[in-house]
Amino acid sequence: MEVKDRIEELRRLLEQYGYEYYVLDRPTVPDSEYDRLLRELTELEAENPEWITPDSPTQRVGAAPLDAFNKVTHDLPMLSLGNVFDEEEIREWVERIERSLGRSTTYVAELKFDGLAISLKYEEGRFVRGATRGDGTVGEDITQNLRTIKALPLRLRDAETVEVRGEAYMPKRSFEALNEEREANEEPLFANPRNAAAGSLRQLDSSITASRNLSLFAYGVGINTLAARSHSEAMKELSRLGFPVNQEMRTCETVEEILDFIHHWTTERPNLPYEIDGVVLKVDRYDDQEELGFTAKSPRFATAYKFPAEEVMTTVEDVDFSVGRTGKVTPRARFSPVVVAGSTVTYATLHNADFIKEKDIRLHDKVIIKKAGDVIPAVVSVVTSERSGTEAEIEFPERCPACSSELVRLEGEADIRCVSPECPAQLVEGMIHFVSRTAMNIDGLGEKVVRQLYDKGAIHTVADLYRLDREELLTYERMGETSVDKLLAAVDASKGNSLERLLFGLGIRLVGQKAAYLLAERFETMEGIAQATYDDILAIEGVGSKIADSVKQYFDHPEAQHLVADLAGLGLNQRFLGQKVDHANAPLAGKTIVLTGTLESLKRSEAGKRLQALGADVTGSVSKKTDILVAGEKAGSKLTKAETLGIEIWDETRLLSELAKYE
Ligand code: IVH
C-alpha cells in the first residue's frame, strides 16, 4: 500500500475510534490500539511532512503559541436567550408563543450546558474555523484550541458546508482533577467547570488547552445549510455527521411535559458527568421559529429556564467578630449579598482561626458559598484565580470586641476566648441561652427582647428576669399590655421548671442537656449538685472527667453561689421533678451515633457535643447497636463496617441540617 493511502487509512480508523470513545462514549478498541495507530500515523507524517493536514488526528496536540487571537465576525449573530425562572413564567412563555402562532406547537427541551458558547465552521466537511461568541457579533478565533477537543470532529461524514453552534465544557471529573493538580502545584484554583473551560480556551498556547480534557455538545446551526425543517431534524443530521449531540433532549407537546422534564433534571442534575445550569426550551419547527422571530437581543422561539444557583461566587467584604455565651470569639464573613438556592445570603461563619487558615480566606477574596444542608450558608472555597493581590490577611482582634479585655487562645484549642466574667456579650448570650426553648423555655422572651432589656439596663443577670417591673416594661418599644402580661406570666411559670432546665440554663461549660439531666436526676437538688464531690459526679454513667471538673469549678465560684442563692430566693424551683421530659423528648434521645472521617465545617468533637446536647449517645466504634454513622471526608473502615451492617449514614450536610433542625 502507498504511504499516502496508509496515512489516510490510519486517519479514518483513528477518527472512527475517537468518535466511538469521545462522542458516543462507547469505545470498541482498547486505548493501546488507538495509541499504536496514532504513533504509526505520527511517524509517517514526520517522514512525509508534506502530507500533514490540519484535520489529521495528530493535530490535536496543540500548535505554536499565538501572540493574540484574531477577531472574527459571525455570519449570523450569536444571540443569547431570555430567561424564565419558575413554573409560572414557563406557562406564560408557552401561552405567548401559542397566542402568537394562533395554535399549539411542538417544543424541544434540552439541557442547558454550563460552558462556553462556540461557533464551528466546516467547509466541505473540514473544520476550518472555531470562534467564541464574544459580544455576539464579533468573537475570537480559537480554532487551534478547539482542534484539541477530541469530541470535535475535524472531518465530517459528508462534505457539508455548515456552521455549527454548541457549548464547550469541562466534565466535572476533569475539573476536579485539574483543581487537585493545581492545588498540589500551589496554582490558583478555578471556581467551577465553566471558568475552567473558559480559561482553557483562552490560552494562546493551544498545548495547554490540549492538556485540559474539554468536551462539547452541538446544539444548533448558524445559517441553515442542512435543509432541515426543524431543530430536531437538524440535531439528527448533526449527530449523523459526527457531532456530539446530547441525547437527553425531549420533544414536548404540552407545558406539563416541559415541566416534567425540568423536574426530572432538577433532581438528576448531580448525577450528570457535566454541569448544567438549566434547561433550554425551543420551538421545534423552523417555520414556526421564523414566524415568531426575534427581539433586539434574543429569539422569541427559545428561552432558558435557569435552576436556582446552589453554589455562588461572591466577595468577602468584611469580617466581624462576635462573642458567644462561653466567651468564644467567632469570626463571621460579610459578603456582597447574593442569592443562593433561592434566598439572599450576606453572612457566614468562618468558625475559627484554623478554618480560615485551612481555606486560606482573605479579606476581599472571591469565595464560593453554598448552603450546607440547604440551610446554613458556608464558605466552600476561595477562588484564588480571581485574586488581584489587594486581598488582606484576616486579623484576629487581640481584645474582646464587646468588653475590650484581652483575648486568650488556650493550649490545643482553635478558639479564641474572652475570659472576662463581666463581658456584656457573654452575659447577654448567656441570658439568651437561659430563656431559650431547650433551657427555661420562657415564651415571648426571645433574643431581641433580651437584648432590649439588657440595653435598657433592666437586666444584668438572669435573676433580674424575675424582678422585671411591669410599669417599666410598658414604656418600652413594641411592648403593649398584652405582650408584657404574657411575658411576665411566662417568666413566672418558668419558676416551676424542673432542676435540669435551670441547671442547663446556667450555661456551665460542657454541661449540655443530657449532662444536666443526669446531674439533676442523681443529686435531685441544686444544693446536692453544688455539694457533690468530683468523684460523686464522675461516678455518674455518661459524665466524664471534663464535665465533673467544669461543674466543680462552677460551684466553687462565689459569683455562681450567689446567683444560685438569688434564684432560690426569687422562688425558682431547684429540685428535680422527675419528669423525664427533657431527656426522653430530646430529639435524638435513644440514638447511638458514631462520628468518623474529617468534617469540614466543625471539629468532630464539637459535632459530638452538639449531638449529645440533643440527647444522642455518641460512641467511638461501630457495632450493631449503632443507629447512625456520621461520615466525613476520608472515612475509612468504620464507614465500610456501617455499610455492611446497613446502618444509617449521614454526610456532613445531613448532619448540619439535622443539627439546624433541633438547635
Ligand atoms: S441554544 C440564541 N441550547 O446558553 C441562542 N444554548 O443564552 C441559542 N447553552 O451561552 C442558544 N446549552 O451557549 C442553546 N442546549 C442549549 C444550550 C445553550 C447551553 C448556552 C448558550 C448561551 C446560553 C444562552
Side-chain angles (χ1 to χ4, degrees):
M1 189 191 285
E2 291 259 340
V3 173
K4 199 170 173 204
D5 293 336
R6 178 61 183 161
I7 288 181
E8 185 49 32
E9 184 180 49
L10 286 167
R11 287 180 184 167
R12 291 254 171 248
L13 282 170
L14 286 162
E15 271 168 13
Q16 178 61 27
Y17 297 155
Y19 175 77
E20 286 161 355
Y21 187 98
Y22 292 104
V23 177
L24 302 181
D25 206 4
R26 275 199 309 264
T28 55
V29 293
D31 292 3
S32 57
E33 175 65 4
Y34 183 92
D35 293 344
R36 196 179 63 77
L37 298 177
L38 186 65
R39 219 172 314 122
E40 185 184 343
L41 179 59
T42 310
E43 279 161 17
L44 290 180
E45 285 183 349
E47 288 159 17
N48 306 278
E50 68 278 15
W51 289 331
I52 300 179
T53 57
D55 53 23
S56 168
T58 58
Q59 301 305 299
R60 291 191 188 268
V61 291
L66 302 172
D67 294 328
F69 295 120
N70 286 328
K71 298 268 182 258
V72 293
T73 304
H74 299 298
D75 297 341
L76 212 100
M78 289 181 78
L79 301 176
S80 60
L81 292 174
N83 290 316
V84 285
F85 289 98
D86 55 32
E87 184 176 325
E88 200 183 322
E89 290 180 6
I90 293 166
R91 288 184 188 278
E92 280 169 14
W93 181 77
V94 168
E95 273 164 30
R96 216 176 311 130
I97 295 218
E98 309 207 333
R99 211 180 314 125
S100 196
L101 293 174
R103 57 181 161 76
S104 59
T105 186
T106 304
Y107 304 86
V108 176
E110 291 173 7
L111 303 182
K112 185 170 184 302
F113 318 108
D114 199 8
L116 212 73
I118 49 169
S119 144
L120 307 169
K121 268 187 130 175
Y122 289 79
E123 276 168 13
E124 296 184 352
R126 283 167 203 279
F127 176 57
V128 291
R129 197 205 67 195
T132 62
R133 189 173 94 99
D135 63 7
T137 308
V138 177
E140 285 178 324
D141 185 333
I142 53 164
T143 311
Q144 286 201 4
N145 292 345
L146 289 170
R147 210 194 292 287
T148 69
I149 302 181
K150 308 261 193 5
L152 178 140
L154 296 174
R155 287 197 297 193
L156 304 181
R157 298 285 163 82
D158 283 341
E160 294 282 356
T161 293
V162 60
E163 185 207 344
V164 174
R165 301 216 167 147
E167 196 85 352
Y169 68 91
M170 185 177 285
K172 287 178 188 169
R173 281 180 62 182
S174 311
F175 166 73
E176 280 155 21
L178 174 64
N179 258 358
E180 261 170 42
E181 185 189 313
R182 289 172 74 83
E183 188 161 23
N185 295 332
E186 296 188 2
E187 286 168 321
L189 303 187
F190 288 113
N192 49 48
R194 177 166 37 82
N195 285 15
S200 303
L201 284 174
R202 233 187 274 118
Q203 298 289 336
L204 290 167
D205 180 353
S206 53
S207 66
I208 298 181
T209 318
S211 72
R212 292 284 171 83
N213 280 321
L214 297 172
S215 194
L216 69 93
F217 283 122
Y219 59 57
V221 288
I223 294 166
N224 179 13
T225 52
L226 299 177
R229 283 164 306 174
S230 68
H231 175 65
S232 46
E233 255 183 47
M235 290 301 103
K236 274 201 198 95
E237 181 63 2
L238 290 185
S239 191
R240 193 189 63 80
L241 288 171
F243 288 97
V245 173
N246 187 271
Q247 293 306 304
E248 308 298 353
M249 57 169 62
R250 185 135 324 143
T251 308
C252 302
E253 304 289 343
T254 63
V255 175
E256 264 57 40
E257 285 173 27
I258 292 175
L259 293 173
D260 263 4
F261 184 83
I262 290 177
H263 290 150
H264 175 76
W265 287 108
T266 304
T267 42
E268 282 306 307
R269 177 187 181 192
N271 302 326
L272 284 169
Y274 44 82
E275 295 275 0
I276 58 170
D277 62 343
V279 164
V280 177
L281 306 173
K282 300 171 181 175
V283 169
D284 193 26
R285 282 168 53 166
Y286 280 166
D287 55 355
D288 282 351
Q289 291 195 358
E290 232 160 87
E291 195 173 333
L292 290 159
F294 299 81
T295 69
K297 284 183 299 186
S298 46
R300 286 204 189 85
F301 53 80
T303 192
Y305 166 80
K306 287 273 202 79
F307 294 133
E310 285 168 344
E311 287 201 353
V312 180
M313 186 161 78
T314 183
T315 311
V316 178
E317 298 285 355
D318 200 2
V319 174
D320 61 27
F321 294 86
S322 62
V323 188
R325 167 164 75 85
T326 59
K328 179 181 162 186
V329 175
T330 307
R332 183 180 71 155
R334 181 167 62 78
F335 308 119
S336 315
V338 277
V339 176
V340 188
S343 70
T344 304
V345 170
T346 316
Y347 296 100
T349 179
L350 298 181
H351 305 287
N352 53 43
D354 285 358
F355 180 83
I356 293 175
K357 196 167 150 203
E358 199 188 296
K359 302 242 173 209
D360 188 20
I361 304 168
R362 302 182 197 170
L363 269 183
H364 312 307
D365 257 343
K366 291 266 190 301
V367 291
I368 305 293
I369 60 173
K370 67 169 180 189
K371 292 228 196 101
D374 287 334
V375 238
I376 311 156
V379 175
V380 180
S381 61
V382 172
V383 187
T384 43
S385 59
E386 293 277 330
R387 279 201 175 139
S388 68
T390 57
E391 295 74 19
E393 294 279 328
I394 295 168
E395 301 243 8
F396 271 70
E398 285 175 10
R399 295 191 165 272
C400 173
C403 72
S404 299
S405 62
E406 213 166 312
L407 297 176
V408 295
R409 182 167 178 168
L410 300 177
E411 274 285 312
E413 270 193 28
D415 301 332
I416 289 175
R417 288 181 190 281
C418 171
V419 290
S420 163
E422 268 133 46
C423 173
Q426 291 178 60
L427 294 178
V428 172
E429 294 303 325
M431 289 192 278
I432 291 169
H433 166 73
F434 184 85
V435 304
S436 69
R437 197 175 48 82
T438 46
M440 293 297 271
N441 192 21
I442 305 181
D443 262 355
L445 202 49
E447 177 170 341
K448 277 206 187 111
V449 181
V450 171
R451 287 190 196 284
Q452 191 186 11
L453 293 175
Y454 183 82
D455 290 343
K456 297 268 186 198
I459 52 173
H460 301 281
T461 72
V462 292
D464 295 332
L465 292 168
Y466 298 90
R467 286 188 276 262
L468 287 172
D469 182 59
R470 183 173 186 275
E471 299 311 309
E472 197 186 329
L473 288 180
L474 284 171
T475 67
Y476 295 167
E477 266 167 62
R478 288 187 302 274
M479 291 268 210
E481 293 219 355
T482 325
S483 51
V484 167
D485 287 338
K486 254 195 180 160
L487 191 158
L488 289 175
V491 169
D492 205 49
S494 75
K495 290 180 182 174
N497 282 343
S498 184
L499 174 61
E500 66 279 9
R501 278 188 179 270
L502 177 59
L503 189 63
F504 176 57
L506 291 177
I508 303 166
R509 258 195 98 194
L510 305 180
V511 178
Q513 265 178 294
K514 185 178 168 194
Y517 182 86
L518 294 173
L519 286 160
E521 187 183 43
R522 164 73 183 78
F523 300 109
E524 292 182 351
T525 63
M526 189 73 90
E527 178 72 19
I529 299 170
Q531 301 295 327
T533 67
Y534 174 85
D535 289 333
D536 289 341
I537 300 174
L538 200 57
I540 304 173
E541 203 184 305
V543 175
S545 59
K546 284 193 179 147
I547 296 181
D549 255 341
S550 176
V551 172
K552 282 314 293 170
Q553 260 179 33
Y554 181 85
F555 286 103
D556 280 349
H557 230 284
E559 268 176 67
Q561 293 162 6
H562 177 78
L563 177 64
V564 167
D566 198 5
L567 291 172
L570 286 162
L572 273 79
N573 168 56
Q574 302 205 343
R575 295 190 70 81
F576 176 59
L577 300 180
Q579 320 141 328
K580 297 210 166 202
V581 274
D582 267 3
H583 191 48
N585 290 339
L588 298 176
K591 296 275 182 213
T592 302
I593 303 185
V594 176
L595 294 140
T596 189
T598 322
L599 299 175
E600 232 182 63
S601 58
L602 75 176
K603 281 233 169 69
R604 232 165 41 206
S605 55
E606 196 207 327
K609 271 188 236 162
R610 288 166 65 182
L611 289 168
Q612 273 168 342
L614 296 172
D617 245 339
V618 178
T619 64
S621 56
V622 174
S623 72
K624 268 187 280 180
K625 287 192 195 141
T626 311
D627 295 297
I628 296 156
L629 178 79
V630 178
E633 287 296 307
K634 302 200 191 93
S637 59
K638 287 186 195 176
L639 177 57
T640 324
K641 184 160 178 197
E643 281 169 347
T644 331
L645 292 172
I647 288 163
E648 182 175 347
I649 292 164
W650 291 358
D651 62 6
E652 181 164 1
T653 308
R654 174 77 191 276
L655 170 71
L656 292 173
S657 77
E658 294 289 335
L659 290 173
K661 226 189 289 176
Y662 300 121
E663 284 178 347

